[in-house]
Amino acid sequence: AQSVAQPEDQVNVAEGNPLTVKCTYSVSGNPYLFWYVQYPNRGLQFLLKYITGDNLVKGSYGFEAEFNKSQTSFHLKKPSALVSDSALYFCAVRLTGANNLFFGTGTRLTVIP
Amino acid sequence: DAGVIQSPRHEVTEMGQEVTLRCKPISGHNSLFWYRQTMMRGLELLIYFNNNVPIDDSGMPEDRFSAKMPNASFSTLKIQPSEPRDSAVYFCASTWGRGDYGYTFGSGTRLTVV
């Protein structure tokens, strides 16, 4: 079955430190991978995507993610966390030829001042 | 563009009542999705439309749920009759094609059934 997993419900990081939010996937075929962020009382916002090409993709707000085919991972990273990065982060996958996204369960990121 | 517009933002209703949630997608987008978010089940896809046609409604929990998209600028999600377990935040999202440039989500409707 196709799926994405976010192994951590909660990630805490000090302001200014690097952050990583983990995502692994299980799909047949080539995955299209996405990260979305959700701020309180808001809908999800698109951050970045991997479809093909360079394994390191850069997105909004200084975030980047690295596609690792051998480890079937797509971890979200940022070199220096801001308090305003505190939010709920979702990894998602779309299969080749499909229209819809499968979302992970989300990881709540808290950046401590 | 004002983005994806959902109404109402909040809805409180009594069990057994009919509830209608509304969505206006971004102009020019041809795919529309309805999602439900709860603490227990996370984000679930209920149904999606492409060019106003329902493509996959396998996520609709039961016959009490129905969705329509009469034209490219409007969609509804109806629950009749509503039950307390339907309480959740319902999101509408739209995109062009398969969404390779991202989905745009509305702010959601928080439904509480008492």
Side-chain angles (χ1 to χ4, degrees), chain A residues 4 25 27-36 48-52 67 74 91-98 100-102, chain B residues 98-101:
Chain A
V4 289
Y25 64 91
V27 301
S28 55
N30 295 321
Y32 290 32
L33 296 158
F34 302 79
W35 276 102
Y36 283 77
L48 52 78
K49 68 178 186 289
Y50 172 83
I51 295 178
T52 187
F67 172 66
F74 189 56
C91 182
V93 64
R94 178 173 70 76
L95 304 180
T96 305
N100 57 301
L101 295 179
F102 293 94
Chain B
R98 292 178 175 152
D100 288 352
Y101 296 95

Side-chain angles (χ1 to χ4, degrees), chain A residues 46-109:
Chain A
F46 170 74
L47 271 180
L48 52 78
K49 68 178 186 289
Y50 172 83
I51 295 178
T52 187
D54 195 350
N55 289 345
L56 185 65
V57 293
K58 295 186 183 297
S60 306
Y61 311 121
F63 285 93
E64 58 188 27
E66 185 169 14
F67 172 66
N68 188 317
K69 189 172 183 177
S70 63
Q71 297 186 3
T72 62
S73 67
F74 189 56
H75 301 332
L76 181 70
K77 300 180 179 183
K78 187 173 182 180
S80 178
L82 301 173
V83 173
S84 57
D85 293 331
S86 298
L88 192 55
Y89 290 82
F90 290 92
C91 182
V93 64
R94 178 173 70 76
L95 304 180
T96 305
N99 279 41
N100 57 301
L101 295 179
F102 293 94
F103 285 90
T105 52
T107 298
R108 185 164 300 282
L109 172 68

Side-chain angles (χ1 to χ4, degrees), chain B residues 5-47:
Chain B
I5 300 173
Q6 290 187 247
S7 63
R9 286 298 306 274
H10 302 274
E11 176 80 34
V12 180
T13 190
E14 292 185 345
M15 182 174 62
Q17 296 298 307
E18 176 181 296
V19 176
T20 299
L21 311 182
R22 297 173 175 80
C23 175
K24 176 178 169 53
I26 288 180
S27 177
H29 283 185
N30 66 344
S31 295
L32 182 140
F33 306 81
W34 282 100
Y35 283 89
R36 178 172 69 176
Q37 186 178 35
T38 61
M39 290 291 291
M40 292 297 295
R41 301 175 67 91
L43 203 60
E44 303 172 275
L45 176 65
L46 299 177
I47 185 172

